[in-house]
Amino acid sequence: MDAIKKVDIFHSPSYDVAEPTNVGGGLSLTAIIFCAICFFSEIGSFRNGRVKEMVYLENAVGGKEMIPVYLDITVLDLKCEHVTLDIQDGSRYEIDEHRVKQPKSEEEEDDVEERKEVEKTDTDEGGCHFQGYIHVRHMKGNFHFTPRGEHHHPNTTISHKIDAIKFGDHIVYDEEIPNNSFNLFGTEAREHEGEDGEPVETRGVMKESYEGETHDYLVKLVRTEIADFDTGTYAYPYQYTYTHRHFVGHHKGKPLPPRIFFRLDFSPLTMKFTRVHDSFLVFISRHLALIGGTFAVLKMFHTGAHVAREAKFQ
């Protein structure tokens, strides 16, 4: 036993010479409260995990994958019988994938129910409201709104309101993904005059149109991968930015009917956000180090104050 005592690095102090003080008690309470606050504040982060970011080059061949696009757009000047929604891929070939119903597995049935085809309904103000999903190819292309019938002429106006456009999988927007732009059209703030004459701030894009004026939106999309390895869930929404221009189109010197174009351009880069969770051993080790460091630092200050006080009295 004497041999074991020789290698003891945890010498037991004699409590006969130890004297508790108010300063020591105050520092001890401070250390305990600080460590408790740090511990309980980190429990939420330990349970929810943290998000890691990276960017990589996508090597998949474009044009094969179909991207779901959620639309919530109102054409203000035309009823539904006088406006159509058309889709074109990069080769100018018109597709109509939102009308195709492909068989899905049982696991995807709930998702199919959520992705209802785009429907158009007449509004009380004489416009047409488009809401639902269409599908576009993962390549350059566009979808556009065109007046038809008796309104297919240059004197037509095509004012519109965009409440939401979302590309890819539907997700609950995570606050830990900073400055995300999954629904940039729907989150843009605008002011308009309310019923009482006071300015009211709402979300969405509102564009007034003159006769024969075409609106052209160039949308730059970046594929985003959101992964949670612990739960095994993956989602692939698209973030985007856009620019807008408006003009009166001409062909061979003659004005063209107005349209609303959304031209899509996909980036080859993919942004990846991965939710990771620390192991329980890492969590405990980090907090043991925090507790030990806190008491060591406060002990150093306490010893320094004690030495300074003794020197003052001498």
Side-chain angles (χ1 to χ4, degrees):
M1 298 297 295
D2 293 336
I4 296 178
K5 290 182 179 180
K6 290 181 180 180
V7 296
D8 180 20
I9 61 176
F10 300 101
H11 297 283
S12 299
S14 175
Y15 288 98
D16 295 336
V17 297
E19 180 182 356
T21 62
N22 292 331
V23 175
L27 291 176
S28 298
L29 288 176
T30 301
I32 293 172
I33 293 173
F34 175 75
C35 292
I37 292 174
C38 292
F39 178 79
F40 287 108
S41 64
E42 286 291 323
I43 289 180
S45 299
F46 171 71
R47 294 177 60 186
N48 297 328
R50 52 191 174 87
V51 175
K52 294 176 62 177
E53 305 175 18
M54 67 174 295
V55 178
Y56 65 90
L57 184 65
E58 184 180 3
N59 57 6
V61 179
K64 294 184 177 180
E65 184 180 359
M66 301 301 297
I67 309 300
V69 183
Y70 174 77
L71 304 179
D72 188 355
I73 301 174
T74 304
V75 179
L76 303 176
D77 302 325
L78 300 172
K79 290 187 176 181
C80 292
E81 60 181 334
H82 298 137
V83 61
T84 60
L85 169 59
D86 301 309
I87 308 170
Q88 290 180 327
D89 63 15
S91 59
R92 311 296 294 176
Y93 176 73
E94 293 196 9
I95 59 177
D96 200 10
E97 293 291 344
H98 64 281
R99 296 183 181 274
V100 177
K101 294 183 179 180
Q102 299 179 355
K104 300 292 182 180
S105 61
E106 295 181 358
E107 293 79 4
E108 296 176 321
E109 285 183 355
D110 296 336
D111 187 57
V112 172
E113 292 180 359
E114 294 179 0
R115 293 182 181 176
K116 294 182 179 179
E117 293 179 2
V118 65
E119 297 179 353
K120 55 182 183 179
T121 54
D122 289 320
T123 64
D124 297 335
E125 295 77 16
C128 183
H129 181 214
F130 291 81
Q131 186 175 22
Y133 280 90
I134 62 174
H135 289 80
V136 299
R137 296 190 187 279
H138 191 280
M139 63 185 301
K140 279 190 175 182
N142 71 80
F143 59 91
H144 54 273
F145 298 87
T146 306
R148 295 299 185 189
E150 60 184 15
H151 292 272
H152 189 69
H153 57 76
N155 296 330
T156 302
T157 60
I158 196 163
S159 301
H160 54 281
K161 181 178 67 172
I162 306 173
D163 290 313
I165 298 182
K166 306 173 188 176
F167 297 85
D169 295 337
H170 173 73
I171 63 168
V172 178
Y173 300 145
D174 199 325
E175 295 180 355
E176 295 186 38
I177 301 178
N179 302 320
N180 68 71
S181 56
F182 297 112
N183 183 22
L184 192 59
F185 284 103
T187 56
E188 185 172 313
R190 60 183 176 88
E191 285 190 356
H192 64 92
E193 187 174 320
E195 295 180 357
D196 55 357
E198 296 294 329
V200 178
E201 182 176 344
T202 57
R203 299 289 176 178
V205 175
M206 180 78 171
K207 296 296 182 182
E208 298 289 342
S209 180
Y210 298 102
E211 290 186 358
E213 189 175 46
T214 292
H215 293 266
D216 202 0
Y217 296 90
L218 176 59
V219 184
K220 296 278 190 176
L221 297 111
V222 177
R223 189 171 185 260
T224 305
E225 180 182 350
I226 301 176
D228 190 332
F229 293 150
D230 291 337
T231 60
T233 57
Y234 296 85
Y236 299 93
Y238 285 75
Q239 300 190 71
Y240 63 90
T241 60
Y242 76 92
T243 57
H244 169 259
R245 63 172 182 162
H246 52 93
F247 57 90
V248 177
H250 289 81
H251 179 66
K252 296 182 178 180
K254 296 181 179 181
L256 296 174
R259 287 179 288 182
I260 306 172
F261 276 97
F262 294 89
R263 305 183 189 276
L264 310 180
D265 187 10
F266 291 89
S267 170
L269 299 178
T270 296
M271 298 182 63
K272 184 175 182 179
F273 297 90
T274 307
R275 183 177 296 279
V276 295
H277 297 263
D278 292 330
S279 67
F280 183 72
L281 290 178
V282 172
F283 175 74
I284 292 297
S285 300
R286 183 167 62 245
H287 283 82
L288 288 177
L290 174 65
I291 293 172
T294 300
F295 278 94
V297 171
L298 291 180
K299 179 65 175 178
M300 181 182 63
F301 282 113
H302 180 262
T303 303
H306 178 72
V307 172
R309 185 180 61 180
E310 293 295 330
K312 179 179 179 181
F313 287 118
Q314 291 179 357

